[in-house]
Amino acid sequence: MTTGTGPASGSGAPDADAPGGGAPDADAREAVLDVDVLIIGAGLSGIGAACHLTRELPGTSYAILEMRERLGGTWDLFRYPGVRSDSDMYTLGYGFRPWRGRQALADGPSILRYIEDTAGEYDVLPRIRYGHKVVRADWSSGSARWTVTSEGRDATGEPRTATATCRFLYCCTGYYDYTEGYTPHFPGIGSYTGQVVHPQFWPEGLPYAGTRVVVIGSGATAITLVPAMAAEAAHVTMLQRTPTYVLNMPSADPVADLVQGRLPQRAAYLINRWNHLLQSWGLYRAAQIAPGAVRRLILTDAKSHLPRTSRSTCTSTRRMTRGTSGSASSPTPTSTGPSVWGGRRSSPTRSTPSPRPVSVSPAAANSAPTSS
């Protein structure tokens, strides 16, 4: 006998052949779906898995169970300003259908369209069953099959349970809790009079123009969120525990512009893929060999994108706060790029009055969207 793990419950699922094991009462179930491969999740990974089956194992039956009512996973769920990939799309995208956009670090809507177009091209859409939250997976050694239980609601809104069986269970669920993102406990938050927003559940049409905003965290979510909000907010402050080193890069990849349209698609993809791979590897190795030089390079590059007055203030503030941790404020709307502060440094903030403060906590969202 073997045991399986329920992908949604996170606990060991009993063998269906074992005493007391198996699935709930069949009377509460829909008709059983039986396929060779069952994929859980219709995000970037799930759609990719389905396309690979179509390409490499034609004739293999499969289905996708998706908890939500739309495909796209992370790239449909996250709607905060500036949402985009923190990995280049030549790496994150599909090798069998390479990313052909000009932006290597693409915005969320573009990635969602890429996933939708890929699913349509490989006829994946009819195989997706929306509104199915997988709650249990049982393995039977006797039949060598998985029995997967999902829950949802029928067309009338009534709860329903569905069962699927398969020879191979493919979990493409990512690592987010889509229903309740991680939210740290901040003592005194109950007395805060402004609005607290979690990026994972960004309210549609949130009116933050002219407000003063504090973004808690300095990870990839904050890096994309701060510049996007700074264009409309009266003032944005990034409140961080550990400052992050960030290099400013062009939004359009010059190498991709050069090779796409001039070379065959496969050759252009390989050049773009290796270009970004070698850039990442080279910077990593340089930082290991000469961390001081790389640090100076990053700081010099960051300051070059600030308005001239901010550069002089940055220099004097850094001297006064050597060895201390602090916060990095957002760029002014006239800045050519984000104000990024490397090392343990503090940055000056502008005092701009605003009628309604807003606090955003990207740190609560586990991480910025990647490949789920």
Side-chain angles (χ1 to χ4, degrees):
M1 300 257 180
T2 60
T3 58
T5 300
S9 63
S11 59
D15 191 306
D17 295 339
D25 189 345
D27 292 340
R29 295 178 177 276
E30 294 180 353
V32 175
L33 168 70
D34 182 65
V35 291
D36 294 322
V37 180
L38 187 65
I39 301 169
I40 305 176
L44 182 73
S45 299
I47 297 300
C51 292
H52 278 294
L53 287 173
T54 301
R55 285 167 43 84
E56 300 170 28
L57 293 172
T60 300
S61 63
Y62 73 86
I64 302 176
L65 301 184
E66 168 57 46
M67 179 181 70
R68 303 172 68 243
E69 297 299 330
R70 291 171 55 92
L71 64 77
T74 293
W75 303 108
D76 177 68
L77 174 69
F78 285 81
R79 305 293 180 90
Y80 61 81
V83 58
R84 61 172 171 79
S85 169
D86 63 352
S87 300
D88 72 271
M89 287 302 298
Y90 306 111
T91 300
L92 184 59
Y94 304 122
F96 57 84
R97 189 175 183 270
W99 175 257
R100 297 184 61 81
R102 295 186 66 226
Q103 291 186 326
L105 300 179
D107 61 87
S110 296
I111 299 174
L112 180 58
R113 285 193 298 272
Y114 173 65
I115 299 171
E116 292 171 339
D117 292 346
T118 303
E121 182 175 324
Y122 285 89
D123 199 30
V124 174
L125 299 177
R127 316 289 185 93
I128 305 175
R129 297 198 172 195
Y130 296 104
H132 285 256
K133 180 181 180 180
V134 175
V135 295
R136 183 184 180 98
D138 300 288
W139 171 255
S140 169
S141 298
S143 61
R145 300 187 76 81
W146 287 97
T147 298
V148 179
T149 305
S150 64
E151 295 178 348
R153 295 187 178 276
D154 61 22
T156 65
E158 292 298 318
R160 59 107 173 90
T161 301
T163 302
T165 60
C166 61
R167 292 190 298 114
F168 190 89
L169 184 60
Y170 205 157
C171 297
C172 300
T173 56
Y175 51 87
Y176 292 109
D177 184 340
Y178 277 17
T179 57
E180 185 178 357
Y182 172 67
T183 303
H185 172 65
F186 298 114
I189 192 67
S191 60
Y192 176 62
T193 57
Q195 184 175 4
V196 179
V197 179
H198 195 300
Q200 185 168 321
F201 309 107
W202 194 269
E204 184 176 356
L206 177 68
Y208 61 85
T211 62
R212 300 176 63 192
V213 181
V214 174
V215 177
I216 303 174
S218 59
T221 301
I223 292 298
T224 59
L225 182 63
V226 167
M229 297 190 72
E232 297 185 30
H235 183 262
V236 180
T237 298
M238 177 189 285
L239 182 64
Q240 55 187 351
R241 179 186 61 188
T242 306
T244 304
Y245 288 98
V246 179
L247 272 172
N248 188 66
M249 302 291 286
S251 58
D253 188 329
V255 174
D257 285 346
L258 180 65
V259 300
Q260 288 182 170
R262 293 182 173 88
L263 296 178
Q265 180 175 316
R266 182 63 181 172
Y269 164 69
L270 290 174
I271 290 174
N272 289 326
R273 175 72 183 90
W274 278 98
N275 173 45
H276 285 273
L277 188 152
L278 292 174
Q279 283 186 41
S280 300
W281 178 82
L283 183 60
Y284 169 74
R285 289 293 298 154
Q288 285 190 314
I289 297 170
V294 172
R295 178 181 181 277
R296 288 191 296 272
L297 172 67
I298 294 175
L299 291 178
T300 300
D301 176 77
K303 286 189 290 184
S304 71
H305 294 283
L306 294 174
R308 186 171 300 277
T309 54
S310 296
R311 296 182 204 176
S312 58
T313 307
C314 167
T315 302
S316 61
T317 303
R318 187 172 67 246
R319 289 172 180 167
M320 290 187 294
T321 58
R322 177 174 293 276
T324 63
S325 61
S327 65
S329 66
S330 70
T332 59
T334 57
S335 175
T336 58
S339 303
V340 183
W341 304 85
R344 295 187 175 275
R345 299 291 183 265
S346 293
S347 69
T349 59
R350 294 182 289 114
S351 179
T352 306
S354 171
R356 185 166 57 85
V358 177
S359 178
V360 184
S361 176
N366 295 334
S367 173
T370 49
S371 58
S372 45

